[in-house]
């Protein structure tokens, strides 16, 4: 008897205007009109995706004292949008990114429980944290949280939320909640009865050792940046290995990297389209702005088609605020200089090559085969697709790749349950495995 191949999980990410978006394309539409969210969500549901995923922005990022170009359209509040999408979708999971640093457990637990009820058990929470005082200035407690305390507060926040969700008995009776911890004290009763899937699905996005440990201890999904096969396998093995110390089985945490994709009628056509998309994503102006994020100094006098600056970055710079720096600026600059010198690249060409997300590029048949290989060889459990166009960026994938995945037997041909936990193959809280 032939065993069923490992199944692929798929999600759609609506990123707003960011470094993967080609918002200047004539096919790009509004980033805040409900019609854009609705189109992408309906497309994802037509493709039988597990869930639809919204990012969050708590403050408009600044660059050299001005609002960053990629934040000029703003970003609506995630749960509000998903509550509206619950009315125009039937099975698609609805995932909101909400910060645990600038909220309270009772309030947020109630909002997610309400979304879970309104959607019939399709809510998910991407738990993020912040130690950014710049973002915190929009809140009463701005800047109070030390970076080292981010995950300890988030862990207690999530534990308190789960106590609230679990406080109603199966017969619909509320029980008192008494939580006393270093960050929160709750003494009362939760105002929303147990929701259709018990708890909203919990997503964690983080690659640090702390982030991996937090995901292994408490998350249902981890959203990662590891897109290459080798890096994906290493990350997958590391995170899955951590689950046992928390009494969890490997299947209780799904690993889903964020990926982009470009389809073409031939491999050459796809590669050409991918190169053109990267050129659109990294204009000459964007190349200089990206470099300034690393160097921390004004580089407006440099030619985007010229060589990288021969000056060192300023690690303590406040030129860019509200954006996360990945890695040590001096080390990143050294890496970029080496890449530029090795390949003879200009500033713009270096930014294009150094910042490009690992993507699936090729014919629909090639992309389907590569995705299946990633999952079959334990480099991922599935993928969160980040389209470069809003709202039609998933149309071709759903029309041309999903049927091929179904033919391979690695992707569903119909939803088999009403809740997001059903889609993901996760037990409802309280069930015995």
């Amino acid at each position: 008897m032939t065993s069923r191949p490992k199944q692929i999980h798929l999600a759609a990410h609506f990123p707003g205007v960011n470094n993967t978006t080609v918002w200047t394309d004539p096919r790009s539409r509004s980033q805040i009109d409900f019609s854009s969210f609705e189109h992408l969500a309906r497309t994802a549901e037509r493709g039988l995706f597990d869930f639809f995923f919204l990012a969050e922005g708590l403050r408009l990022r600044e660059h050299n004292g001005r609002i960053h170009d990629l934040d000029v359209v703003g970003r609506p509040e995630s749960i509000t949008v998903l509550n509206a999408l619950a009315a125009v979708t039937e099975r698609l999971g609805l995932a909101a990114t909400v910060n645990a640093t600038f909220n309270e457990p009772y309030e947020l637990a109630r909002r997610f429980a309400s979304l879970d009820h309104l959607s019939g058990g399709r809510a998910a929470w991407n738990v993020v944290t912040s130690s950014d005082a710049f973002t915190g200035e929009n809140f009463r407690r701005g800047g109070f949280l030390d970076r080292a305390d981010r995950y300890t507060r988030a862990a207690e926040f999530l534990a308190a939320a789960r106590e609230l969700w679990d406080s109603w008995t199966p017969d619909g009776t509320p029980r008192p909640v008494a939580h006393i911890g270093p960050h929160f004290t709750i003494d009362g009763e939760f105002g929303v009865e147990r929701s259709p899937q018990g708890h909203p699905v919990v997503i964690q996005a983080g690659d640090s050792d702390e982030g991996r440990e937090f995901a292994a201890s408490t998350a249902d999904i981890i959203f990662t940046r590891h897109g290459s096969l080798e890096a994906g396998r290493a990350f997958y093995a590391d995170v899955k290995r951590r689950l046992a110390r928390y009494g969890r089985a490997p299947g209780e945490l799904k690993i889903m990297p964020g990926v982009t994709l470009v389809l073409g009628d031939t491999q050459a056509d796809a590669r050409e389209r991918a190169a053109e998309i990267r050129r659109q994503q990294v204009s000459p102006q964007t190349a200089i702005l990206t470099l300034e994020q690393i160097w921390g100094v004004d580089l407006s006098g440099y030619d985007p088609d010229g060589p990288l600056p021969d000056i060192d970055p300023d690690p303590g710079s406040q030129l860019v605020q509200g954006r996360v720096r990945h890695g040590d600026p001096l080390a990143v600059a050294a890496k970029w200089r080496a890449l530029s010198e090795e390949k003879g690249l200009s500033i713009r060409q270096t930014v294009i090559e150094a910042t490009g997300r690992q993507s699936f590029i090729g014919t629909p048949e090639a992309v389907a085969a590569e995705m299946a290989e990633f999952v079959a060889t334990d480099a991922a459990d599935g993928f969160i697709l980040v389209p470069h166009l809003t709202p039609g960026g998933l149309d071709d994938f759903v029309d041309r790749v999903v049927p091929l995945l179904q033919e391979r037997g690695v992707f569903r041909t119909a939803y088999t349950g009403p809740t997001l936990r059903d889609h993901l193959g996760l037990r409802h809280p309280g069930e015995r495995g």
Side-chain angles (χ1 to χ4, degrees):
M1 180 177 177
T2 304
S3 62
R4 184 177 185 232
K6 187 178 175 184
Q7 298 296 290
I8 295 175
H9 294 283
L10 293 176
H13 188 256
F14 188 106
V17 176
N18 69 6
N19 61 329
T20 65
T21 310
V22 182
W23 59 271
T24 55
D25 191 294
R27 295 168 294 173
S28 181
R29 298 292 180 261
S30 172
Q31 307 293 322
I32 58 173
D33 285 354
F34 181 68
S35 60
S36 292
F37 295 102
E38 182 180 13
H39 180 101
L40 195 64
R42 285 185 182 274
T43 303
E45 185 164 71
R46 179 166 62 85
L48 304 175
F49 280 37
D50 290 50
F51 60 93
F52 177 85
F53 185 27
L54 284 177
E56 179 185 64
L58 294 180
R59 179 165 179 174
L60 299 180
R61 296 164 292 186
E62 293 183 6
H63 190 105
N64 204 13
R66 301 185 302 274
I67 300 300
H68 194 281
D69 286 3
L70 298 182
D71 272 8
V72 293
V73 300
R75 180 171 289 167
E77 196 275 323
S78 297
I79 297 182
T80 302
V81 174
L82 296 181
N83 281 324
L85 288 177
V88 298
T89 56
E90 295 180 355
R91 297 293 185 91
L92 184 69
L94 303 168
T97 302
V98 184
N99 199 300
T101 303
F102 303 116
N103 286 284
E104 294 294 326
Y106 184 94
E107 178 200 13
L108 203 54
R110 184 177 62 159
R111 290 165 64 198
F112 273 109
S114 299
L115 174 60
D116 212 40
H117 276 287
L118 290 174
S119 64
R122 297 185 280 137
W125 173 22
N126 179 36
V127 183
V128 295
T129 64
S130 175
S131 61
D132 178 12
F134 174 77
T135 300
E137 288 173 0
N138 272 348
F139 299 88
R140 178 175 57 84
R141 302 180 308 277
F144 84 100
L145 188 65
D146 289 336
R147 183 176 181 85
D149 293 333
R150 289 188 308 158
Y151 282 112
T152 57
R153 187 182 195 276
E156 186 186 341
F157 192 116
L158 183 54
R162 284 177 167 155
E163 289 177 42
L164 293 164
W165 292 327
D166 284 338
S167 65
W168 283 65
T169 65
D171 64 1
T173 303
R175 294 174 298 191
V177 175
H179 175 93
I180 300 175
H183 294 281
F184 308 106
T185 299
I186 301 171
D187 186 8
E189 293 178 346
F190 191 47
V192 184
E193 67 178 273
R194 195 169 182 86
S195 65
Q197 60 176 351
H199 297 173
V201 167
V202 171
I203 305 170
Q204 158 66 11
D207 187 40
S208 67
D209 188 71
E210 289 176 310
R212 297 183 191 205
E213 202 67 24
F214 182 63
S217 67
T218 199
D220 300 305
I221 299 168
I222 185 165
F223 178 32
T224 169
R225 294 180 291 118
H226 292 280
S228 71
L229 193 64
E230 296 76 15
R233 286 173 178 165
F235 181 85
Y236 190 100
D238 177 62
V239 173
K240 295 280 186 174
R241 195 164 42 235
R242 297 173 188 241
L243 291 166
R245 73 185 67 168
Y246 301 102
R248 306 181 68 195
E252 293 181 53
L253 175 64
K254 307 300 181 184
I255 296 177
M256 300 181 67
V259 298
T260 58
L261 62 100
V262 181
L263 300 177
D265 294 330
T266 65
Q267 290 295 114
D269 175 44
R271 286 193 293 270
E272 184 177 338
R273 291 186 63 194
E276 176 56 29
I277 289 167
R278 287 299 293 144
R279 286 192 291 271
Q280 289 177 297
Q281 290 169 333
V282 185
S283 67
Q285 180 188 23
T286 298
I288 295 297
L289 292 178
T290 303
L291 210 65
E292 288 179 342
Q293 291 168 24
I294 305 298
W295 261 257
V297 296
D298 186 344
L299 300 174
S300 57
Y302 283 78
D303 180 1
D305 295 319
L308 265 64
D310 57 5
I311 58 174
D312 287 332
D314 175 6
S317 170
Q318 295 297 310
L319 182 77
V320 178
Q321 298 199 78
R323 294 184 69 92
V324 177
R325 280 192 175 185
H326 296 289
D328 171 33
L330 292 169
V332 174
K335 182 179 178 180
W336 285 22
R337 281 199 186 103
L339 175 66
S340 175
E341 292 171 3
E342 176 189 353
K343 298 189 176 183
L345 303 178
S346 66
I347 289 175
R348 186 183 181 195
Q349 290 169 332
T350 301
V351 172
I352 287 173
E353 182 148 344
T355 63
R357 186 193 298 265
Q358 175 71 25
S359 301
F360 293 108
I361 301 170
T363 64
E365 294 79 9
V367 168
E370 193 173 4
M371 283 186 159
E373 181 186 9
F374 265 69
V375 173
T377 60
D378 290 342
D381 291 311
F383 308 96
I384 297 176
L385 276 61
V386 186
H388 69 277
L389 286 178
T390 301
L394 285 182
D395 294 358
D396 279 354
F397 179 86
V398 168
D399 292 336
R400 303 178 70 188
V401 179
V402 166
L404 298 175
L405 296 174
Q406 292 168 332
E407 288 176 12
R408 288 174 169 269
V410 297
F411 189 65
R412 65 172 65 93
T413 56
Y415 288 116
T416 55
T419 73
L420 178 53
R421 289 186 178 274
D422 293 327
H423 305 344
L424 293 164
L426 299 172
R427 291 198 306 269
H428 288 218
E431 291 181 354
R432 299 294 179 185

